[in-house]
Coordinates of all heavy atoms in Angstrom, one line a residue:
A495 N 87.3 94.5 76.8 CA 88.0 93.5 77.5 C 88.6 93.9 78.8 O 89.0 93.1 79.6 CB 89.2 93.0 76.6
A496 N 88.5 95.2 79.1 CA 89.1 95.7 80.4 C 88.5 95.0 81.6 O 89.1 94.7 82.6 CB 89.0 97.2 80.5
R497 N 87.2 94.8 81.5 CA 86.5 94.2 82.6 C 87.1 92.8 83.0 O 87.4 92.5 84.1 CB 85.0 94.0 82.3 CG 84.2 93.1 83.3 CD 83.8 94.0 84.5 NE 82.8 93.3 85.3 CZ 83.1 92.7 86.5 NH1 84.3 92.8 87.0 NH2 82.1 92.2 87.2
Q498 N 87.3 92.0 82.0 CA 87.9 90.6 82.2 C 89.4 90.7 82.5 O 89.9 89.9 83.4 CB 87.7 89.7 81.0 CG 86.2 89.4 80.7 CD 85.5 90.5 80.0 OE1 86.0 91.4 79.4 NE2 84.1 90.5 80.1
V499 N 90.1 91.6 81.9 CA 91.6 91.6 82.0 C 92.0 92.3 83.3 O 92.8 91.8 84.1 CB 92.2 92.3 80.8 CG1 93.7 92.5 81.1 CG2 92.0 91.5 79.6
F500 N 91.4 93.4 83.7 CA 91.9 94.2 84.8 C 91.0 94.1 86.0 O 91.5 94.2 87.2 CB 91.9 95.7 84.5 CG 92.9 96.0 83.4 CD1 92.5 96.7 82.2 CD2 94.2 95.7 83.5 CE1 93.3 97.0 81.2 CE2 95.1 96.0 82.5 CZ 94.7 96.7 81.3
Y501 N 89.7 93.8 85.9 CA 88.8 93.9 87.0 C 87.9 92.7 87.1 O 86.7 92.8 87.5 CB 87.9 95.2 86.8 CG 88.7 96.4 86.5 CD1 88.6 97.1 85.3 CD2 89.6 96.9 87.5 CE1 89.4 98.2 85.0 CE2 90.3 98.1 87.2 CZ 90.2 98.7 86.0 OH 91.0 99.8 85.7
G502 N 88.4 91.5 86.8 CA 87.6 90.3 86.7 C 86.9 89.9 88.0 O 85.8 89.3 87.9
E503 N 87.4 90.3 89.1 CA 86.8 89.9 90.4 C 86.2 91.1 91.1 O 85.7 90.9 92.3 CB 87.9 89.3 91.3 CG 88.4 88.0 90.7 CD 89.5 87.4 91.5 OE1 89.8 87.9 92.6 OE2 90.1 86.4 91.0
C504 N 86.1 92.2 90.5 CA 85.5 93.4 91.1 C 84.0 93.3 91.0 O 83.5 92.6 90.1 CB 86.0 94.7 90.4 SG 87.8 95.0 90.6
T505 N 83.3 94.0 91.8 CA 81.9 94.2 91.6 C 81.6 94.9 90.3 O 82.5 95.6 89.8 CB 81.2 95.0 92.8 OG1 81.7 96.3 92.7 CG2 81.5 94.4 94.1
P506 N 80.5 94.6 89.7 CA 80.1 95.3 88.4 C 80.2 96.9 88.6 O 80.7 97.6 87.7 CB 78.7 94.9 88.1 CG 78.6 93.6 88.8 CD 79.4 93.7 90.0
E507 N 79.8 97.4 89.8 CA 79.9 98.8 90.0 C 81.3 99.3 90.1 O 81.6 100.4 89.5 CB 79.1 99.2 91.3 CG 77.7 98.9 91.3 CD 77.3 97.4 91.5 OE1 78.2 96.6 92.1 OE2 76.2 97.0 91.2
D508 N 82.2 98.6 90.8 CA 83.6 99.0 90.9 C 84.3 98.9 89.6 O 85.1 99.8 89.2 CB 84.3 98.2 91.9 CG 84.0 98.5 93.4 OD1 83.4 99.6 93.6 OD2 84.3 97.7 94.3
A509 N 84.0 97.9 88.8 CA 84.6 97.7 87.5 C 84.2 98.9 86.6 O 85.0 99.4 85.9 CB 84.3 96.4 86.9
A510 N 82.9 99.2 86.6 CA 82.4 100.3 85.7 C 83.0 101.6 86.1 O 83.4 102.4 85.2 CB 80.9 100.3 85.8
W511 N 83.1 101.8 87.4 CA 83.8 103.1 87.9 C 85.2 103.1 87.4 O 85.7 104.2 86.9 CB 83.7 103.1 89.4 CG 84.4 104.2 90.1 CD1 83.9 105.5 90.3 CD2 85.8 104.3 90.5 NE1 84.8 106.3 90.9 CE2 86.0 105.5 91.0 CE3 86.8 103.3 90.5 CZ2 87.2 105.9 91.6 CZ3 88.0 103.7 91.1 CH2 88.2 105.0 91.6
A512 N 86.0 102.1 87.5 CA 87.4 102.0 87.1 C 87.5 102.2 85.6 O 88.4 102.9 85.1 CB 88.0 100.8 87.6
I513 N 86.7 101.5 84.9 CA 86.8 101.5 83.4 C 86.6 102.9 82.9 O 87.3 103.4 81.9 CB 85.9 100.5 82.8 CG1 86.4 99.1 83.0 CG2 85.7 100.8 81.3 CD1 85.4 98.0 82.7
L514 N 85.7 103.7 83.5 CA 85.4 105.1 83.1 C 86.7 105.9 83.3 O 86.8 107.0 82.6 CB 84.3 105.7 83.9 CG 82.9 105.2 83.5 CD1 81.8 105.8 84.4 CD2 82.6 105.7 82.1
R515 N 87.6 105.5 84.1 CA 88.7 106.3 84.4 C 90.0 105.9 83.6 O 91.0 106.5 83.7 CB 89.0 106.3 85.9 CG 88.1 107.2 86.7 CD 87.7 106.7 88.1 NE 86.8 107.6 88.7 CZ 85.5 107.6 88.4 NH1 85.0 106.7 87.6 NH2 84.6 108.4 89.0
L516 N 89.8 104.8 82.9 CA 91.0 104.4 82.0 C 91.1 105.4 80.9 O 90.2 105.9 80.4 CB 90.7 103.0 81.4 CG 90.8 101.8 82.4 CD1 90.4 100.6 81.6 CD2 92.1 101.7 83.0
G517 N 92.3 105.7 80.6 CA 92.6 106.7 79.5 C 93.7 106.1 78.6 O 94.2 105.0 78.8
P518 N 94.1 106.9 77.7 CA 95.2 106.5 76.8 C 96.4 106.2 77.6 O 96.8 106.9 78.5 CB 95.4 107.7 75.9 CG 94.2 108.5 76.0 CD 93.6 108.2 77.4
Q519 N 97.1 105.1 77.2 CA 98.4 104.7 77.8 C 99.6 105.1 76.9 O 99.5 105.0 75.7 CB 98.4 103.2 78.0 CG 97.3 102.7 78.9 CD 97.4 103.3 80.3 OE1 98.4 103.2 81.0 NE2 96.3 103.9 80.8
P520 N 100.6 105.7 77.5 CA 101.8 106.1 76.7 C 102.4 104.8 76.1 O 102.5 103.8 76.8 CB 102.7 106.8 77.7 CG 102.2 106.3 79.1 CD 100.8 106.0 78.9
V521 N 102.9 104.9 74.9 CA 103.6 103.8 74.2 C 105.1 103.8 74.5 O 105.7 102.8 74.5 CB 103.3 103.9 72.7 CG1 104.0 102.8 72.0 CG2 101.8 103.8 72.5
A522 N 105.7 105.0 74.7 CA 107.1 105.1 74.8 C 107.7 104.1 75.9 O 108.8 103.5 75.6 CB 107.5 106.5 75.1
P523 N 107.2 103.9 77.0 CA 107.8 103.0 78.0 C 107.9 101.6 77.5 O 108.7 100.8 78.0 CB 106.9 103.1 79.2 CG 106.2 104.4 79.1 CD 106.0 104.6 77.6
Y524 N 107.1 101.2 76.5 CA 107.1 99.9 76.0 C 108.1 99.8 74.8 O 108.4 98.7 74.4 CB 105.7 99.4 75.6 CG 104.8 99.4 76.7 CD1 103.8 100.4 76.9 CD2 104.8 98.4 77.7 CE1 103.0 100.4 78.0 CE2 104.0 98.3 78.8 CZ 103.0 99.3 78.9 OH 102.2 99.3 80.0
Q525 N 108.5 100.9 74.3 CA 109.4 100.9 73.1 C 110.8 101.2 73.4 O 111.7 100.9 72.6 CB 108.8 101.9 72.1 CG 107.5 101.6 71.6 CD 106.9 102.6 70.6 OE1 107.2 103.8 70.8 NE2 106.1 102.2 69.7
Q526 N 111.1 101.9 74.5 CA 112.4 102.3 74.8 C 112.9 101.6 76.1 O 112.2 101.6 77.1 CB 112.4 103.8 75.1 CG 112.0 104.6 73.9 CD 111.8 106.1 74.2 OE1 111.9 106.5 75.4 NE2 111.4 106.9 73.2
P527 N 114.1 101.0 76.1 CA 114.6 100.4 77.3 C 114.9 101.4 78.4 O 115.4 102.5 78.1 CB 115.9 99.7 76.8 CG 116.2 100.3 75.5 CD 115.0 100.9 74.9
A528 N 114.6 101.0 79.6 CA 115.0 101.8 80.7 C 116.4 101.6 81.1 O 116.9 100.5 81.0 CB 114.1 101.5 81.9
R529 N 117.1 102.6 81.5 CA 118.5 102.5 81.9 C 118.6 102.7 83.4 O 118.2 103.7 83.9 CB 119.4 103.5 81.1 CG 119.3 103.3 79.6 CD 120.2 104.2 78.9 NE 119.9 104.0 77.5 CZ 120.3 104.8 76.5 NH1 121.1 105.8 76.8 NH2 119.9 104.6 75.3
T530 N 119.1 101.7 84.0 CA 119.3 101.8 85.5 C 120.7 101.5 85.8 O 121.5 100.9 85.0 CB 118.3 100.8 86.2 OG1 118.7 99.4 85.7 CG2 116.9 101.0 85.8
T531 N 121.1 101.8 87.0 CA 122.4 101.5 87.5 C 122.3 100.8 88.9 O 121.3 101.0 89.6 CB 123.3 102.8 87.8 OG1 122.7 103.5 88.8 CG2 123.3 103.6 86.5
S532 N 123.2 100.0 89.2 CA 123.2 99.3 90.5 C 123.3 100.3 91.7 O 122.8 100.1 92.8 CB 124.3 98.2 90.6 OG 125.6 98.8 90.4
A533 N 124.0 101.4 91.4 CA 124.1 102.4 92.4 C 122.8 103.1 92.8 O 122.6 103.5 93.9 CB 125.1 103.5 92.0
R534 N 121.9 103.2 91.8 CA 120.6 103.8 92.1 C 119.5 102.8 92.2 O 119.0 102.5 93.3 CB 120.3 104.8 91.0 CG 121.4 105.9 90.9 CD 120.8 107.2 90.9 NE 121.8 108.2 90.7 CZ 121.6 109.4 91.1 NH1 120.5 109.8 91.6 NH2 122.6 110.3 91.0
W535 N 119.1 102.2 91.1 CA 118.0 101.2 91.1 C 118.4 100.1 92.0 O 117.6 99.6 92.8 CB 117.8 100.7 89.7 CG 116.8 99.6 89.6 CD1 117.1 98.3 89.3 CD2 115.4 99.7 89.6 NE1 115.9 97.6 89.3 CE2 114.9 98.4 89.4 CE3 114.5 100.7 89.9 CZ2 113.5 98.1 89.5 CZ3 113.1 100.4 89.9 CH2 112.7 99.2 89.7
G536 N 119.6 99.6 92.0 CA 120.0 98.5 92.8 C 120.1 98.7 94.3 O 120.1 97.8 95.1
A537 N 120.1 100.0 94.7 CA 120.2 100.3 96.1 C 118.8 100.4 96.8 O 118.7 100.5 98.0 CB 120.9 101.7 96.2
I538 N 117.8 100.3 96.0 CA 116.4 100.4 96.5 C 115.8 99.1 96.6 O 115.7 98.3 95.6 CB 115.5 101.3 95.6 CG1 116.1 102.7 95.4 CG2 114.1 101.4 96.1 CD1 115.5 103.5 94.4
P539 N 115.5 98.6 97.8 CA 114.8 97.3 98.0 C 113.4 97.3 97.2 O 112.7 98.3 97.3 CB 114.6 97.1 99.5 CG 115.1 98.3 100.1 CD 115.6 99.3 99.1
R540 N 113.2 96.3 96.5 CA 111.9 96.2 95.8 C 111.0 95.2 96.4 O 111.4 94.1 96.7 CB 112.2 95.9 94.3 CG 112.9 97.0 93.6 CD 113.5 96.6 92.2 NE 114.6 95.7 92.3 CZ 115.8 96.1 92.6 NH1 116.1 97.3 92.9 NH2 116.8 95.2 92.6
Y541 N 109.7 95.6 96.6 CA 108.7 94.8 97.2 C 107.7 94.5 96.1 O 107.4 95.4 95.3 CB 108.1 95.4 98.4 CG 109.1 95.7 99.5 CD1 109.8 96.9 99.5 CD2 109.3 94.8 100.5 CE1 110.8 97.1 100.5 CE2 110.2 95.1 101.5 CZ 110.9 96.2 101.5 OH 111.9 96.5 102.4
Y542 N 107.1 93.4 96.1 CA 106.2 93.0 95.0 C 105.0 92.2 95.5 O 105.1 91.3 96.3 CB 106.9 92.2 93.9 CG 106.1 92.0 92.6 CD1 106.1 93.1 91.7 CD2 105.4 90.9 92.4 CE1 105.4 92.9 90.5 CE2 104.7 90.7 91.2 CZ 104.7 91.8 90.3 OH 104.0 91.6 89.1
I543 N 103.8 92.6 95.0 CA 102.6 91.8 95.3 C 102.3 91.0 94.0 O 101.9 91.6 93.0 CB 101.4 92.7 95.7 CG1 101.7 93.5 96.9 CG2 100.2 91.8 95.9 CD1 100.7 94.5 97.4
K544 N 102.4 89.7 94.1 CA 102.1 88.8 93.0 C 100.6 88.5 93.1 O 100.1 88.1 94.1 CB 102.9 87.5 93.1 CG 102.6 86.6 92.0 CD 103.5 85.3 92.2 CE 103.2 84.3 91.0 NZ 104.0 83.1 91.2
T545 N 99.9 88.7 92.0 CA 98.5 88.5 91.9 C 98.2 87.2 91.1 O 98.5 87.1 89.9 CB 97.8 89.7 91.2 OG1 98.4 90.1 90.1 CG2 97.7 90.9 92.2
A546 N 97.8 86.2 91.8 CA 97.7 84.8 91.2 C 96.8 84.6 90.1 O 97.0 83.7 89.2 CB 97.4 83.8 92.4
R547 N 95.7 85.4 90.0 CA 94.7 85.2 88.9 C 94.7 86.4 88.0 O 93.7 86.8 87.4 CB 93.4 84.9 89.5 CG 93.3 83.6 90.1 CD 91.9 83.2 90.5 NE 91.4 84.3 91.4 CZ 90.8 84.1 92.6 NH1 90.6 82.9 93.0 NH2 90.4 85.1 93.3
D548 N 95.9 87.1 87.8 CA 96.0 88.2 87.0 C 96.0 87.9 85.5 O 96.7 87.0 85.1 CB 97.3 88.9 87.3 CG 97.4 90.3 86.8 OD1 96.9 90.7 85.8 OD2 98.1 91.1 87.5
R549 N 95.1 88.5 84.8 CA 95.0 88.3 83.3 C 95.8 89.3 82.5 O 95.9 89.2 81.3 CB 93.6 88.2 82.9 CG 92.9 87.0 83.4 CD 91.5 86.9 82.8 NE 90.8 85.7 83.3 CZ 89.6 85.4 83.0 NH1 88.9 86.2 82.2 NH2 89.0 84.3 83.5
A550 N 96.2 90.4 83.2 CA 96.9 91.5 82.5 C 98.4 91.2 82.5 O 99.1 91.3 81.5 CB 96.6 92.8 83.1
V551 N 98.9 90.8 83.7 CA 100.3 90.4 83.9 C 100.3 89.0 84.5 O 100.1 88.9 85.7 CB 101.0 91.4 84.8 CG1 102.5 91.1 85.0 CG2 100.9 92.9 84.3
T552 N 100.4 88.0 83.7 CA 100.2 86.7 84.1 C 101.2 86.3 85.2 O 102.3 86.9 85.3 CB 100.4 85.7 82.9 OG1 101.8 85.8 82.5 CG2 99.5 86.0 81.8
P553 N 100.9 85.3 86.0 CA 101.9 84.8 87.0 C 103.2 84.5 86.4 O 104.3 84.7 87.1 CB 101.2 83.6 87.7 CG 99.7 84.0 87.5 CD 99.6 84.6 86.2
A554 N 103.3 83.9 85.2 CA 104.5 83.6 84.6 C 105.3 84.9 84.3 O 106.6 84.9 84.5 CB 104.3 82.8 83.3
M555 N 104.7 85.9 83.8 CA 105.3 87.2 83.6 C 105.8 87.8 84.9 O 106.9 88.3 85.0 CB 104.4 88.1 82.9 CG 104.1 87.8 81.4 SD 102.9 88.9 80.7 CE 103.7 90.4 80.7
Q556 N 105.0 87.7 85.9 CA 105.4 88.2 87.3 C 106.6 87.5 87.8 O 107.5 88.1 88.4 CB 104.2 88.1 88.2 CG 103.0 88.9 87.9 CD 101.9 88.7 88.8 OE1 102.0 89.0 90.0 NE2 100.8 88.2 88.2
A557 N 106.7 86.2 87.6 CA 107.9 85.4 88.0 C 109.1 85.9 87.2 O 110.2 86.0 87.8 CB 107.7 83.9 87.7
Q558 N 109.0 86.2 85.9 CA 110.1 86.7 85.1 C 110.6 88.1 85.7 O 111.7 88.3 85.8 CB 109.7 86.9 83.7 CG 109.6 85.6 82.9 CD 109.2 85.8 81.5 OE1 108.4 86.7 81.2 NE2 109.8 85.1 80.6
F559 N 109.6 88.9 86.1 CA 109.9 90.2 86.7 C 110.8 90.0 88.0 O 111.8 90.7 88.2 CB 108.7 91.0 87.1 CG 107.8 91.5 86.0 CD1 106.5 91.9 86.2 CD2 108.3 91.6 84.7 CE1 105.7 92.3 85.2 CE2 107.5 92.0 83.6 CZ 106.2 92.4 83.9
G560 N 110.4 89.0 88.8 CA 111.1 88.7 90.0 C 112.5 88.3 89.7 O 113.5 88.7 90.4
E561 N 112.7 87.4 88.7 CA 114.1 87.0 88.4 C 114.9 88.1 87.8 O 116.1 88.2 88.2 CB 114.0 85.9 87.3 CG 113.4 84.6 87.8 CD 113.1 83.6 86.7 OE1 113.6 83.7 85.6 OE2 112.4 82.6 87.0
L562 N 114.3 89.0 87.1 CA 115.0 90.1 86.5 C 115.4 91.2 87.5 O 116.5 91.7 87.4 CB 114.1 90.7 85.4 CG 114.8 91.4 84.2 CD1 115.2 90.4 83.2 CD2 113.8 92.4 83.6
H563 N 114.5 91.5 88.4 CA 114.6 92.6 89.3 C 115.1 92.3 90.7 O 115.3 93.2 91.5 CB 113.4 93.5 89.3 CG 113.0 94.0 88.0 ND1 113.8 94.9 87.3 CD2 112.0 93.7 87.1 CE1 113.2 95.2 86.1 NE2 112.1 94.5 86.0
G564 N 115.0 91.0 91.1 CA 115.5 90.6 92.4 C 114.7 91.3 93.5 O 115.2 92.0 94.3
F565 N 113.4 91.0 93.6 CA 112.6 91.6 94.6 C 113.1 91.1 96.0 O 113.4 90.0 96.2 CB 111.1 91.1 94.4 CG 110.5 91.5 93.1 CD1 109.8 90.6 92.4 CD2 110.6 92.8 92.7 CE1 109.2 91.0 91.2 CE2 110.0 93.2 91.5 CZ 109.3 92.3 90.7
A566 N 113.1 92.1 96.9 CA 113.5 91.8 98.3 C 112.5 91.0 99.0 O 112.8 90.0 99.7 CB 113.7 93.1 99.1
V567 N 111.2 91.3 98.8 CA 110.1 90.6 99.4 C 109.0 90.4 98.4 O 108.6 91.4 97.7 CB 109.6 91.3 100.6 CG1 108.4 90.6 101.3 CG2 110.7 91.5 101.7
V568 N 108.4 89.3 98.3 CA 107.2 89.0 97.4 C 106.1 88.5 98.3 O 106.3 87.6 99.1 CB 107.6 88.0 96.3 CG1 106.3 87.7 95.5 CG2 108.7 88.5 95.4
R569 N 105.0 89.1 98.2 CA 103.8 88.6 98.8 C 102.8 88.2 97.7 O 102.8 88.8 96.7 CB 103.2 89.6 99.7 CG 104.1 90.1 100.8 CD 104.1 89.1 102.0 NE 104.8 89.7 103.1 CZ 106.0 89.4 103.5 NH1 106.7 88.5 102.9 NH2 106.5 89.9 104.6
E570 N 101.9 87.3 98.0 CA 101.0 86.8 96.9 C 99.6 87.0 97.4 O 99.2 86.8 98.6 CB 101.2 85.4 96.6 CG 100.3 84.9 95.4 CD 100.7 83.6 94.8 OE1 101.9 83.2 95.0 OE2 99.8 83.0 94.2
L571 N 98.7 87.5 96.5 CA 97.3 87.6 96.7 C 96.6 86.7 95.7 O 97.0 86.7 94.5 CB 96.8 89.0 96.6 CG 96.9 89.9 97.8 CD1 96.5 91.3 97.4 CD2 96.0 89.4 98.9
D572 N 95.6 85.9 96.1 CA 94.8 85.1 95.2 C 93.8 86.0 94.6 O 92.6 86.0 95.1 CB 94.2 84.0 96.0 CG 93.6 83.0 95.1 OD1 93.9 82.9 93.9 OD2 92.7 82.2 95.5
S573 N 94.2 86.9 93.7 CA 93.3 87.9 93.2 C 93.6 88.2 91.7 O 94.5 87.7 91.1 CB 93.6 89.2 94.0 OG 94.8 89.8 93.6
D574 N 92.7 89.1 91.2 CA 92.9 89.6 89.8 C 93.9 90.7 89.8 O 94.7 90.9 90.8 CB 91.5 90.1 89.3 CG 91.0 91.3 90.1 OD1 91.6 91.7 91.1 OD2 89.9 91.8 89.8
H575 N 94.0 91.4 88.7 CA 95.0 92.5 88.5 C 94.8 93.7 89.4 O 95.7 94.4 89.7 CB 94.9 92.9 87.0 CG 96.0 93.9 86.7 ND1 97.3 93.6 86.5 CD2 95.9 95.2 86.4 CE1 98.0 94.7 86.2 NE2 97.2 95.7 86.1
S576 N 93.6 93.8 90.0 CA 93.3 95.0 90.7 C 92.8 94.7 92.1 O 91.7 95.0 92.5 CB 92.2 95.8 90.0 OG 92.6 96.1 88.7
P577 N 93.6 94.1 93.0 CA 93.2 93.8 94.3 C 92.8 95.0 95.2 O 92.1 94.9 96.1 CB 94.4 93.0 94.9 CG 95.6 93.5 94.1 CD 95.0 93.8 92.8
F578 N 93.3 96.2 94.8 CA 93.0 97.4 95.5 C 91.5 97.7 95.4 O 90.9 98.4 96.2 CB 93.8 98.6 95.0 CG 93.9 98.7 93.5 CD1 93.0 99.3 92.8 CD2 95.0 98.0 92.9 CE1 93.1 99.4 91.4 CE2 95.1 98.1 91.5 CZ 94.1 98.8 90.8
L579 N 90.8 97.1 94.3 CA 89.4 97.3 94.2 C 88.6 96.0 94.6 O 87.6 96.0 95.2 CB 89.0 97.6 92.7 CG 89.4 99.0 92.3 CD1 89.0 99.2 90.8 CD2 88.7 100.1 93.1
S580 N 89.2 94.8 94.2 CA 88.5 93.6 94.4 C 88.6 93.0 95.8 O 87.8 92.3 96.3 CB 88.9 92.5 93.3 OG 90.3 92.2 93.5
Q581 N 89.8 93.3 96.4 CA 90.1 92.8 97.8 C 90.8 93.9 98.6 O 91.9 93.7 99.0 CB 91.0 91.6 97.7 CG 90.4 90.4 97.0 CD 91.3 89.2 97.0 OE1 92.2 89.1 97.9 NE2 91.2 88.3 96.0
P582 N 90.2 95.0 98.8 CA 90.9 96.1 99.4 C 91.4 95.8 100.8 O 92.5 96.2 101.1 CB 89.9 97.3 99.4 CG 88.5 96.6 99.3 CD 88.8 95.4 98.5
D583 N 90.7 95.1 101.6 CA 91.2 94.7 103.0 C 92.4 93.8 102.9 O 93.4 94.1 103.6 CB 90.1 94.1 103.8 CG 88.9 95.0 104.1 OD1 89.1 96.2 104.0 OD2 87.8 94.5 104.4
N584 N 92.4 92.8 102.0 CA 93.5 91.9 101.9 C 94.7 92.7 101.3 O 95.9 92.5 101.7 CB 93.2 90.8 101.0 CG 92.2 89.8 101.6 OD1 92.1 89.8 102.8 ND2 91.6 89.0 100.8
F585 N 94.5 93.6 100.4 CA 95.5 94.4 99.8 C 96.2 95.3 100.8 O 97.4 95.3 100.9 CB 94.9 95.2 98.6 CG 95.9 96.1 97.9 CD1 96.8 95.5 97.1 CD2 95.9 97.4 98.0 CE1 97.8 96.2 96.4 CE2 96.8 98.2 97.3 CZ 97.7 97.6 96.5
V586 N 95.4 95.9 101.6 CA 96.0 96.8 102.7 C 96.8 95.9 103.7 O 97.9 96.3 104.1 CB 94.9 97.6 103.4 CG1 95.5 98.3 104.6 CG2 94.4 98.7 102.4
E587 N 96.3 94.8 104.0 CA 97.0 93.9 104.9 C 98.4 93.5 104.4 O 99.4 93.5 105.1 CB 96.2 92.7 105.2 CG 96.7 91.7 106.2 CD 95.8 90.6 106.5 OE1 94.6 90.8 106.5 OE2 96.4 89.5 106.7
V588 N 98.4 93.2 103.1 CA 99.7 92.9 102.5 C 100.6 94.1 102.4 O 101.8 94.0 102.8 CB 99.5 92.3 101.0 CG1 100.8 92.2 100.3 CG2 98.8 91.0 101.1
L589 N 100.1 95.2 102.1 CA 101.0 96.4 102.1 C 101.5 96.7 103.5 O 102.7 97.0 103.6 CB 100.1 97.7 101.6 CG 99.8 97.7 100.2 CD1 98.9 99.0 99.9 CD2 101.0 97.8 99.3
L590 N 100.7 96.6 104.5 CA 101.2 96.8 105.8 C 102.2 95.8 106.3 O 103.1 96.1 107.0 CB 100.0 96.9 106.8 CG 99.1 98.1 106.6 CD1 97.9 97.9 107.6 CD2 99.8 99.4 106.9
G591 N 102.1 94.6 105.7 CA 103.0 93.5 106.0 C 104.4 93.8 105.5 O 105.4 93.3 106.0
F592 N 104.5 94.6 104.5 CA 105.8 95.0 103.9 C 106.6 95.8 105.0 O 107.8 95.7 105.0 CB 105.7 95.8 102.6 CG 105.4 95.0 101.4 CD1 104.4 95.4 100.6 CD2 106.0 93.8 101.2 CE1 104.1 94.6 99.4 CE2 105.7 93.0 100.0 CZ 104.8 93.4 99.2
E593 N 105.9 96.5 105.8 CA 106.6 97.3 106.8 C 107.3 96.3 107.8 O 108.5 96.6 108.2 CB 105.6 98.1 107.6 CG 106.1 99.0 108.7 CD 107.0 100.2 108.1 OE1 106.7 100.6 107.0 OE2 107.9 100.6 108.8
D594 N 106.8 95.2 108.1 CA 107.4 94.2 109.0 C 108.6 93.6 108.3 O 109.5 93.1 109.0 CB 106.4 93.1 109.4 CG 105.2 93.6 110.2 OD1 105.4 94.7 110.8 OD2 104.2 93.0 110.1
A595 N 108.7 93.6 107.0 CA 109.7 92.9 106.2 C 111.0 93.8 106.1 O 112.0 93.4 105.7 CB 109.2 92.5 104.9
R596 N 110.8 95.1 106.4 CA 112.0 96.0 106.3 C 113.0 95.9 107.3 O 113.1 95.4 108.2 CB 111.4 97.4 106.3 CG 110.6 97.7 105.1 CD 109.9 99.0 105.0 NE 110.7 100.0 105.6 CZ 110.5 101.3 105.6 NH1 109.5 101.8 105.0 NH2 111.2 102.2 106.2

């Protein structure tokens, strides 16, 4: 399912390359709550790229993240979960645009 979930818009070659590099994922981050403070976590501006056709982290989940974490700047790409592979030029353009938002 990795092809459809993470790499839906990638070329077959890019998706195959990426899938070969997937490995076991740690479970602990999903089981233990993270502890943050406003003095540390709150002092760092957060930037976020919302991926509109993401099947791994749905747009609704991404909206919840935004409400929870108060992103300073949100940019959106009409892409899958992996725009760094499926739309690298657009992805870099969005990343560079964050510099202007600082």
Side-chain angles (χ1 to χ4, degrees):
R497 170 81 167 108
Q498 292 79 21
V499 174
F500 299 121
Y501 312 111
E503 297 176 8
C504 296
T505 65
E507 296 79 19
D508 285 346
W511 176 87
I513 289 167
L514 284 174
R515 283 150 183 80
L516 289 175
Q519 299 296 306
V521 177
Y524 299 103
Q525 296 175 331
Q526 301 170 357
R529 296 183 192 171
T530 62
T531 66
S532 58
R534 301 231 181 203
W535 174 256
I538 301 169
R540 290 170 290 282
Y541 300 85
Y542 191 80
I543 299 175
K544 182 178 178 183
T545 47
R547 291 187 304 230
D548 196 328
R549 291 185 178 178
V551 182
T552 66
M555 289 173 67
Q556 294 175 64
Q558 285 180 324
F559 293 161
E561 290 171 17
L562 207 83
H563 299 294
F565 299 132
V567 179
V568 176
R569 301 282 191 253
E570 185 168 336
L571 275 175
D572 189 22
S573 75
D574 62 359
H575 184 74
S576 304
F578 45 88
L579 289 177
S580 62
Q581 299 182 24
D583 293 340
N584 292 338
F585 182 69
V586 168
E587 187 176 321
V588 169
L589 287 177
L590 293 174
F592 285 134
E593 184 68 27
D594 298 334
R596 293 175 32 172

